[in-house]
Amino acid sequence: MKISLIVFVLYSIFLVSCNGCGDKKEITEADVNRIHQGMIEENKKQHEKEMKEIARFIQKKKWPMTETKTGLQYWIYENGTGAVVKENDHAFISYKIYLLNDSLCYETGDDKPKRIVVGHDNVETGLHEALQLLRVGDRAKIILPSHLAFGFTGDSGKIPQNASVVYDIHLISAE
């Protein structure tokens, strides 16, 4: 995937930069549409591959996941008794973040929870969505496809580009 995307980007740059070449070809709307369509096709292939990897991971773990419209997968394995989290709530969570190969990337503890303003903080889009599926006290497994996690760039640390991530999360409180 990376090589074909790199080749495609280089070809696109060549088309654009070749304006100074001998035949002075103008970039047409058809050229732009062809490049755009190629990018859409590459994204579709990447998404399909990622969804298959997530499905294999879930099957291997035998987790009874529920999928949302966005592709987020979740399983509440321990039910809390508190209120459901809403947008603008201050949620206090502890978590472990894994890759699909089970390598641990980050973790907090119940003694040092992370505070998130649901719907507003600069955290993964999928985390905002997931928190609104939980009650205070819930413990859940959450799988975020890359488009809901760290996307094309990763986190410049332990999470690579285009990586799906698994949260083992505990919603400690919300106010």
Side-chain angles (χ1 to χ4, degrees), residues 105-175:
C105 297
Y106 302 104
E107 69 179 307
T108 67
D110 284 352
D111 58 334
K112 291 186 181 179
K114 179 172 181 153
R115 184 188 74 123
I116 296 171
V117 180
V118 179
H120 298 285
D121 270 352
N122 188 22
V123 296
E124 305 82 87
T125 305
L127 188 54
H128 289 288
E129 179 185 352
L131 288 171
Q132 294 177 75
L133 299 169
L134 304 178
R135 294 183 167 279
V136 172
D138 281 353
R139 291 183 184 270
K141 303 282 189 186
I142 298 164
I143 302 175
L144 303 180
S146 62
H147 71 278
L148 296 176
F150 296 91
F152 292 121
T153 59
D155 75 342
S156 300
K158 297 180 180 180
I159 299 175
Q161 64 186 22
N162 295 318
S164 303
V165 295
V166 180
Y167 272 83
D168 189 343
I169 191 167
H170 178 206
L171 177 54
I172 298 167
S173 66
E175 24 184 85

Side-chain angles (χ1 to χ4, degrees), residues 6-85:
I6 290 169
V7 168
F8 182 75
V9 169
L10 291 174
Y11 176 72
S12 301
I13 291 169
F14 173 76
L15 281 178
V16 171
S17 66
C18 206
N19 256 351
C21 296
D23 62 357
K24 295 208 180 223
K25 180 182 179 207
E26 292 291 321
I27 302 298
T28 66
E29 189 173 332
D31 293 331
V32 171
N33 288 339
R34 192 170 41 257
I35 291 167
H36 182 75
Q37 191 60 39
M39 292 172 73
I40 289 172
E41 291 304 316
E42 282 300 317
N43 280 333
K44 282 181 183 177
K45 288 177 191 175
Q46 171 64 28
H47 179 73
E48 289 170 9
K49 178 182 172 202
E50 184 178 10
M51 293 300 104
K52 287 177 183 175
E53 289 171 0
I54 290 171
R56 280 192 298 272
F57 177 83
I58 292 169
Q59 185 176 28
K60 180 179 97 178
K61 296 289 188 177
K62 297 183 169 93
W63 290 346
M65 305 299 276
T66 301
E67 185 173 355
T68 69
K69 289 185 279 184
T70 63
L72 178 145
Q73 301 262 355
Y74 71 101
W75 167 41
I76 301 170
Y77 64 87
E78 188 176 307
N79 291 304
T81 57
V84 174
V85 175

